[in-house]
Amino acid sequence: MIVNTKGQDLEYIKSLSLIISIDLSSNNLSGDFPKEITNLFGLMSLNLSKNHIHGSIPNNISRLPELSSLDLSSNNLHGEIPSSMSSLTFLCYLNLSNNNFSGKIPFTGQMTTFSEYGFSGNPGLCGAPLITKCRDDDSSEGKTIVDDERNDEFIDQWFYLSIGLVFAAGILVPFFVLVLTLLGRKPLAAAIDPG
């Protein structure tokens, strides 16, 4: 990795594996997303938020297996969110909000643990966890969900009705048995003792 400091290019080769956290937020940085970051295999936290970085997240972002926090919010990033991000199993904080990402969110694996907050402010994004559905989403999927909800409502109604009937039977059956028993004793007593 080459770092330009005060007009002097410095090349770092051996110490890259020691870097575990980078926070360059709110530094007015501009330029393409530094794809070389994916060579920092021990990186656990990356915060480049509130800059003017453009480009896209590299597809090989999954080369950062230790990454637990990624904040790229409030930049000018675009393109699709790489599906390889779902394999970042240690990732517990993700904020990609307020960029220009587009396409369907790869909502599988680790990506299912994040709320819509981390994706908001990207008008071109669609799919879970956002409310915005993708155009290529199968319309029958929505129908299945509606049908399942109707079936659930039907089952719920019958469940409560059956509980009510069992409760009523539990109270009424003993009452009727008692009444019939008392009514049955009078004719039986009259038959035994006619006097």
Side-chain angles (χ1 to χ4, degrees):
M1 176 181 273
I2 298 174
V3 177
N4 187 321
T5 305
K6 296 182 182 179
Q8 185 179 23
D9 288 338
L10 302 172
E11 186 173 5
Y12 293 92
I13 297 173
K14 295 183 181 182
S15 60
L16 291 180
S17 63
L18 302 176
I19 298 173
I20 61 169
S21 181
I22 297 175
D23 187 345
L24 297 172
S25 60
S26 302
N27 274 296
N28 206 22
L29 298 174
S30 61
D32 282 339
F33 185 91
K35 302 198 183 314
E36 293 79 13
I37 283 182
T38 60
N39 294 329
L40 304 174
F41 304 117
L43 192 64
M44 298 172 79
S45 176
L46 177 61
N47 187 347
L48 299 176
S49 65
K50 299 175 187 159
N51 284 296
H52 305 284
I53 299 170
H54 50 83
S56 59
I57 300 173
N59 286 327
N60 63 347
I61 189 90
S62 60
R63 290 180 59 193
L64 302 174
E66 304 296 321
L67 195 63
S68 63
S69 176
L70 178 60
D71 191 343
L72 303 175
S73 62
S74 301
N75 278 291
N76 297 313
L77 296 169
H78 58 81
E80 293 188 358
I81 298 170
S83 60
S84 63
M85 287 185 66
S86 61
S87 66
L88 294 172
T89 55
F90 285 108
L91 194 62
C92 57
Y93 178 78
L94 177 66
N95 191 348
L96 303 177
S97 64
N98 301 313
N99 280 287
N100 294 307
F101 289 114
S102 59
K104 187 172 186 172
I105 297 171
F107 201 65
T108 60
Q110 191 66 14
M111 297 293 280
T112 61
T113 63
F114 304 115
S115 69
E116 86 177 88
Y117 168 77
F119 303 99
S120 63
N122 290 287
L125 276 182
C126 61
L130 298 175
I131 298 171
T132 309
K133 297 206 182 276
C134 296
R135 289 183 188 160
D136 63 345
D137 279 351
D138 188 39
S139 61
S140 67
E141 183 178 316
K143 184 179 179 210
T144 303
I145 292 169
V146 170
D147 287 346
D148 286 347
E149 287 175 2
R150 287 184 184 152
N151 287 340
D152 288 346
E153 288 174 12
F154 180 74
I155 291 169
D156 287 346
Q157 288 173 351
W158 277 107
F159 174 75
Y160 291 120
L161 180 63
S162 64
I163 294 294
L165 289 173
V166 168
F167 179 75
I171 290 176
L172 294 176
V173 167
F175 176 75
F176 285 126
V177 168
L178 181 63
V179 168
L180 291 175
T181 303
L182 291 175
L183 289 177
R185 283 187 180 176
K186 287 182 183 177
L188 183 62
I192 296 174
D193 187 18

